[in-house]
Amino acid sequence: MAGPTTAERGERQQPKKSGPPRPPLRRLPRRRTLVLLAVATVVLGTGLGWLLYGSPWLRTEHVSVSGTRVLTPERVRSTARVPLGSALLSVDTDAIEARLRGELPRIDTVEVSRSWPHGITLKVTERVPVLLIEETGESGASGKSGKSDEGEKSDQQGTGGGNNNKARKYVEVDKKGVRFATVSRVPDGAPLLEWDVVRGASARRFGTERLTRAAVDVARDLPAGVARDTRAVKVRSYDSVSLELRGGRTVLWGSAEQGRAKARTLTALMKAAPRARHFDVSVPTAPASSGS
């Protein structure tokens, strides 16, 4: 007896459907979906733009200043000219930085940042003088000088110099050789440049600017303890720079070359001969002291 055919077996295996047929899923037209997404994007973008630029919640209300040593926070704040009341996001921080560095040469670096939701922060690093050049009015004697600093902390002008320095002007020079300010009194911790240049081939060859740069390099490389005690950096020639310390002590430094090695040698020499009056580190591998 023949078995069921393949078609008959397939009909038996199919489950019987029960209940009413399901209605087909209704999908939104693709164009309508895109329109809704575009409208939502515009609404969100408009709201975000209003929040950042038009709302009263993210307005610039205060400016904080940190890092000042000689300049006053008020001077920095007034020079920055931050537009108070404007949207915080619209404040041009690059323009503020350029304005501060351009109008206040005493500022070495400044970091301008937003402090949400209402502030601008100015983090200042001031230049530190390593050498002073007295203005003499002679051509080439002091070169370009920095601007006279107004709005400085009154207690930051040094006590050195006495009454005779009141009518004098001194140009402050930092370790990079930048002449950034003119002051009327000698600040603490910065030696004075003194000239004892011998008229000859050395002076003609190197010139005032290069000799000044050599003095700055020497002052920059001085050990901290020696720098505090140094009253003057004397330049006789490019290869003959000496230091006059407080208490009548002197140091023959030589040229500005090998500055770090000379600084280490001088520190060790002063420890080894604490009562010496004269030190010679012009050749750092063969130092000498005398007058003990």
Side-chain angles (χ1 to χ4, degrees):
M1 182 175 181
T5 63
T6 304
E8 291 175 345
R9 287 197 301 269
E11 292 177 357
R12 293 177 184 176
Q13 292 175 358
Q14 290 180 358
K16 295 181 179 181
K17 297 181 179 180
S18 61
R22 295 181 179 179
L25 295 175
R26 298 182 63 185
R27 296 182 178 178
L28 290 176
R30 186 173 184 179
R31 181 177 299 176
R32 184 180 299 178
T33 302
L34 294 177
V35 169
L36 291 176
L37 288 175
V39 170
T41 301
V42 170
V43 171
L44 289 174
T46 302
L48 182 60
W50 177 82
L51 177 65
L52 295 176
Y53 293 97
S55 75
W57 301 325
L58 299 177
R59 295 283 172 175
T60 308
E61 296 180 358
H62 59 84
V63 179
S64 60
V65 179
S66 63
T68 56
R69 298 175 58 254
V70 177
L71 294 170
T72 62
E74 291 75 16
R75 175 74 185 281
V76 175
R77 199 176 288 113
S78 64
T79 304
R81 297 194 290 278
V82 176
L84 297 178
S86 62
L88 188 59
L89 194 61
S90 69
V91 175
D92 191 341
T93 56
D94 291 337
I96 293 173
E97 177 182 351
R99 188 156 51 242
L100 286 171
R101 296 189 64 181
E103 297 184 23
L104 297 178
R106 185 175 289 277
I107 292 179
D108 186 14
T109 62
V110 57
E111 181 181 337
V112 184
S113 59
R114 297 177 181 87
S115 180
W116 299 95
H118 300 298
I120 291 291
T121 299
L122 308 177
K123 187 176 181 181
V124 172
T125 301
E126 293 186 12
R127 300 182 189 276
V128 178
V130 298
L131 191 68
L132 299 174
I133 302 176
E134 183 178 356
E135 285 191 336
T136 63
E138 299 176 3
S139 176
S142 62
K144 284 186 178 181
S145 62
K147 297 180 181 179
S148 179
D149 278 330
E150 298 176 358
E152 297 179 350
K153 299 174 184 176
S154 59
D155 60 347
Q156 291 297 322
Q157 296 290 346
T159 58
N163 295 331
N164 293 332
N165 288 338
K166 288 184 178 180
R168 299 180 180 179
K169 297 291 184 180
Y170 302 92
V171 179
E172 293 182 303
V173 187
D174 73 355
K175 64 182 180 180
K176 301 174 185 176
V178 177
R179 307 178 187 194
F180 60 90
T182 301
V183 295
S184 57
R185 298 182 64 185
V186 177
D188 294 331
L192 183 65
L193 173 63
E194 293 186 0
W195 295 100
D196 188 20
V197 178
V198 178
R199 300 295 179 182
S202 179
R204 291 193 300 270
R205 176 184 177 185
F206 296 104
T208 303
E209 281 301 316
R210 190 168 178 185
L211 293 176
T212 301
R213 180 68 232 191
V216 171
D217 291 343
V218 170
R220 177 200 62 199
D221 291 334
L222 293 179
V226 176
R228 286 192 296 267
D229 285 339
T230 302
R231 192 197 67 80
V233 176
K234 293 187 175 182
V235 178
R236 183 175 177 84
S237 68
Y238 184 80
D239 294 319
S240 181
V241 179
S242 61
L243 312 175
E244 183 179 314
L245 309 184
R246 290 180 176 86
R249 295 176 299 164
T250 60
V251 177
L252 178 58
W253 192 270
S255 71
E257 299 173 1
Q258 296 181 287
R260 293 183 179 180
K262 292 177 180 179
R264 291 192 297 267
T265 300
L266 181 58
T267 300
L269 189 61
M270 286 183 162
K271 289 182 178 179
R275 297 184 179 180
R277 309 297 293 171
H278 308 289
F279 304 90
D280 184 347
V281 293
S282 56
V283 180
T285 56
S289 62
S290 61
S292 56

